Amino acid sequence: MSDDAHTMLFVTFADPAAALAAFAEAKELPGARQAAVLRRSAEGLLDTPESWVRGAGTPTVATGIVGGLLGLLGGPVGVLLGWTAGTVLGGAAELKQFQDGAEGLLVYSRDLAEGHAMLIVELHEHDHRPADELAERHGGQLVRRPAEEVAAEVRAAERAADEARGGEN
């Protein structure tokens, strides 16, 4: 594969410990943007013991710095207020992105068997081999899907949930 493909990897494991070990390596896959481990207990409860996003916190820090620099015009109090406002705005943007990602994880957890775990990785993939080797090394079953297709499914599930709630948002 020579072209860059925006891909979602879904790797299912019968052993949750193997999913956690694979997660540690998945963060180092070329082009990895984010990863999470979902685990369903024997009682059917869903847990996310690990998650990672490349550059997490960057928007919050960057908007805080910009706000603080703009606040220089108002003196020390302006810096404090600018930093605070910028940090709040950046944090709100990151929270919205996290919530959107969490909804996507829930869509794909519905078929996860009790006692099993799933590693989900979003990446820009040039070559399938590193991910294929990671799944094989840890005994996981890999399913690769285009990120655009996954995003469309998540949006459809969100619309269905909104309609089921009577259109409330």
Side-chain angles (χ1 to χ4, degrees):
M1 180 171 158
S2 60
D3 293 335
D4 182 38
H6 189 192
T7 306
M8 296 291 295
L9 305 177
F10 299 91
V11 189
T12 307
F13 299 88
D15 177 13
L20 293 172
F23 169 81
E25 292 181 36
K27 297 185 294 183
E28 303 303 321
L29 285 172
R33 297 180 60 192
Q34 57 185 332
V37 174
L38 298 177
R39 181 175 52 200
R40 187 168 307 277
S41 72
E43 296 80 31
L45 300 174
L46 191 64
D47 180 28
T48 308
E50 294 287 350
S51 65
W52 164 82
V53 177
R54 183 172 305 286
T58 302
T60 301
V61 172
T63 55
I65 291 171
V66 169
L69 291 173
L70 291 174
L72 283 173
L73 301 173
V77 173
V79 171
L80 177 63
L81 292 175
W83 176 271
T84 302
T87 302
V88 167
L89 289 173
E94 282 198 285
L95 179 60
K96 173 68 173 136
Q97 184 178 11
F98 172 77
Q99 288 171 333
D100 291 345
E103 290 170 358
L105 294 179
L106 291 175
V107 168
Y108 288 98
S109 68
R110 65 180 176 245
D111 296 326
L112 186 59
E114 291 179 356
H116 286 66
M118 179 186 291
L119 170 64
I120 301 175
V121 182
E122 177 193 2
L123 72 162
H124 286 279
E125 196 172 37
H126 296 286
D127 182 3
H128 288 180
R129 285 177 295 189
D132 292 344
E133 290 168 359
L134 181 139
E136 184 178 331
R137 190 168 43 255
H138 294 283
Q141 298 294 90
L142 172 65
V143 174
R144 180 179 276 108
R145 301 202 37 219
E148 298 78 23
E149 182 181 296
V150 172
E153 277 186 34
V154 170
R155 284 191 301 274
E158 289 170 350
R159 280 192 301 275
D162 285 345
E163 289 171 11
R165 288 190 304 258
E168 295 175 18
N169 195 12

